[in-house]
Amino acid sequence: MSAPIPAPTAVPAASSVSSAAPTQADLFDFVRRTAADQDLIASLPLDPEGRTWVRLEGPGGSEAWLIGWPPGTGTGWHDHANSVGAFLTASGALTENSLAARLPTDGWKTLELSEGFDRVRRLRTGQGRGFGRHHVHEVLNESPTEHAVSVHAYYPPLPQIRRYSRTGPLLRLESVERPEDWQ
């Protein structure tokens, strides 16, 4: 990721106040409602070369982000550790490549994946998805000319992100990032 754009304070977005931990459905509802806020979406500065993002105030103590995707950019393969999450395309289109299997969480560096584990979703404006713990995926803006903007939410706030490389059926753990790495 490129360096985050400065945000002096968290940007408030529509959220419900609750003492219970937000569910995957709550997070999806939040990203759907937030993506509908066209003034907020338009306020995100877009960089022609690197992704930009602003942290949002998510529901129930969740971590939320508004992310801008220049043409041809992506995340690379990663997971969100023990967090559940949701994301939705607010403008443009994104592609999510994911694995339809829960991987072991620790004790491995390389896995050989069987056929049939790959899933591809094309998420146009207004489309998104929720996901569970240890969901391994990559998100891409495959457009050669158009930016995309998306809203993401995670609970609990991201304790770490594991980054992977993928060559054919081989998935290799490359690094583990923690919140202090993103500041």
Side-chain angles (χ1 to χ4, degrees):
M1 288 181 145
S2 60
I5 57 178
T9 59
V11 178
S15 67
S16 59
V17 177
S18 171
S19 59
T23 64
Q24 188 181 102
D26 295 332
L27 296 174
F28 189 80
D29 183 58
F30 169 81
V31 299
R32 182 187 49 77
R33 287 183 290 110
T34 303
D37 182 343
Q38 290 303 303
D39 290 337
L40 176 63
I41 302 310
S43 74
L44 179 66
L46 300 176
D47 183 314
E49 296 181 20
R51 287 187 295 149
T52 54
W53 57 90
V54 172
R55 187 166 183 159
L56 305 173
E57 184 181 321
S62 64
E63 181 171 348
W65 298 90
L66 178 63
I67 301 176
W69 306 77
T73 60
T75 60
W77 287 93
H78 67 282
D79 71 15
H80 305 99
N82 289 318
S83 298
V84 297
F87 72 99
L88 189 132
T89 304
S91 68
L94 294 170
T95 299
E96 181 199 34
N97 297 315
S98 63
L99 301 179
R102 185 170 176 158
L103 302 179
T105 57
D106 293 309
W108 65 276
K109 287 289 283 177
T110 303
L111 289 176
E112 185 168 356
L113 304 170
S114 300
E115 287 187 37
F117 280 99
D118 290 299
R119 297 291 182 267
V120 178
R121 289 178 180 85
R122 180 109 166 118
L123 303 168
R124 291 176 170 69
T125 299
Q127 296 178 320
R129 70 180 312 261
F131 53 86
R133 293 164 175 23
H134 309 291
H135 176 71
V136 177
H137 70 165
E138 67 175 347
V139 180
L140 310 162
N141 177 2
E142 296 181 314
S143 171
T145 59
E146 301 295 322
H147 266 81
V149 175
S150 57
V151 180
H152 302 245
Y154 312 97
Y155 189 85
L158 296 174
Q160 65 183 18
I161 291 178
R162 288 182 288 253
R163 299 237 174 239
Y164 305 95
S165 62
R166 174 102 188 257
T167 305
L170 295 179
L171 185 71
R172 180 174 176 79
L173 176 63
E174 296 293 341
S175 65
V176 177
E177 297 174 4
R178 291 182 169 62
E180 57 268 19
D181 299 327
W182 311 320
Q183 301 306 321

